[in-house]
Amino acid sequence: APGMAGVNCGGHIAENCKACESGNGRLWCNGECFWAPYAWGGGECMLRTGLGDPLQDPGRQRWFETDYGVEFAITALLMLIFACVYHRKVVSRLPLMEDIVVKSGREKGLFECLGSPSTCAYVACCAPLVAGKNLHATGVLRFWPGCCLTFIGLHTPCVAVFPCVWAVLSARMARTMGQQASCAWQFLLSLFCFPCELGRESMEVDDELGAEIYCCNQLELTSRLTTEVDNMLAKA
């Protein structure tokens, strides 16, 4: 146990854990100490408490709570700013699914989104916005509640139950577009391949509405008549 002689750093003795690394980083932080990395790089050598698992160490928990909170707040702020712009330039101009008379019910392949750079970019960087747009356009949920729900589901411990929630919402969106949907299948897609599933849904929603969304926040709409005829031909 650490005492007057200091702490065992794994290969040498130091006055305390902070003195273990001596500028050498995590490689010199062992023994009675462990390395707690910071989210933005670097880290700190901290004393173990004897609980066995460093993840249960109060020092590690303090680091996690502080650093995670800062990271979460910054991410949320940046997402909010971009969401405001996205809502003004894209979502507020989109027609709603309830206004479309003919629903084609056409389905995309799970990995077809990989052929759309804009869709991939939006899903990778702004998944909550894409989810909010899909939910809003299909009338399942308004943009802001849908966006916030997805952000919380992806960036908090709620990620454990989010696939269940999204499966229900996704099935409702599919039925709105005239597709057959199973909550169990949607759950598996959401659990194991959520980015591709979200991208696929986004492309299906856009096709039904006659919309093309490009980076960054560029929206092109096909005329209502052309969209209805296109959906009718696809349904035939």
Side-chain angles (χ1 to χ4, degrees), residues 7-59:
V7 296
N8 184 348
C9 302
H12 64 287
I13 303 296
E15 181 180 354
N16 52 52
C17 286
K18 290 186 178 181
C20 278
E21 51 129 348
S22 300
N24 295 288
R26 64 188 309 160
L27 294 179
W28 283 35
C29 181
N30 298 289
E32 294 178 309
C33 307
F34 73 96
W35 185 259
Y38 296 144
W40 305 110
E44 182 179 355
C45 191
M46 304 182 72
L47 179 67
R48 297 178 189 269
T49 60
L51 298 178
D53 184 3
L55 294 177
Q56 301 300 319
D57 192 289

Side-chain angles (χ1 to χ4, degrees), residues 186-219:
Q186 297 302 135
F187 169 76
L188 292 176
L189 291 176
S190 302
L191 181 64
F192 295 108
C193 202
F194 179 73
C196 290
E197 169 64 6
L198 181 61
R200 179 182 68 83
E201 287 173 345
S202 180
M203 295 177 69
E204 290 174 350
V205 169
D206 294 349
D207 279 356
E208 292 290 339
L209 300 177
E212 290 282 352
I213 303 174
Y214 303 100
C215 294
C216 181
N217 299 331
Q218 302 297 315
L219 173 65

Side-chain angles (χ1 to χ4, degrees), residues 55-74:
L55 294 177
Q56 301 300 319
D57 192 289
R60 180 64 174 262
Q61 291 179 353
R62 286 195 301 272
W63 159 80
F64 177 80
E65 292 168 359
T66 303
D67 235 41
Y68 172 76
V70 172
E71 184 178 3
F72 181 85
I74 293 175

Side-chain angles (χ1 to χ4, degrees), residues 68-92:
Y68 172 76
V70 172
E71 184 178 3
F72 181 85
I74 293 175
T75 303
L77 178 61
L78 293 176
M79 195 71 69
L80 175 61
I81 294 173
F82 194 75
C84 291
V85 179
Y86 184 77
H87 181 269
R88 180 171 60 86
K89 291 190 174 183
V90 177
V91 178
S92 62

Side-chain angles (χ1 to χ4, degrees), residues 145-164:
C147 186
C148 292
L149 174 67
T150 308
F151 182 82
I152 293 173
L154 295 178
H155 294 273
T156 71
C158 293
V159 69
V161 297
F162 181 68
C164 299

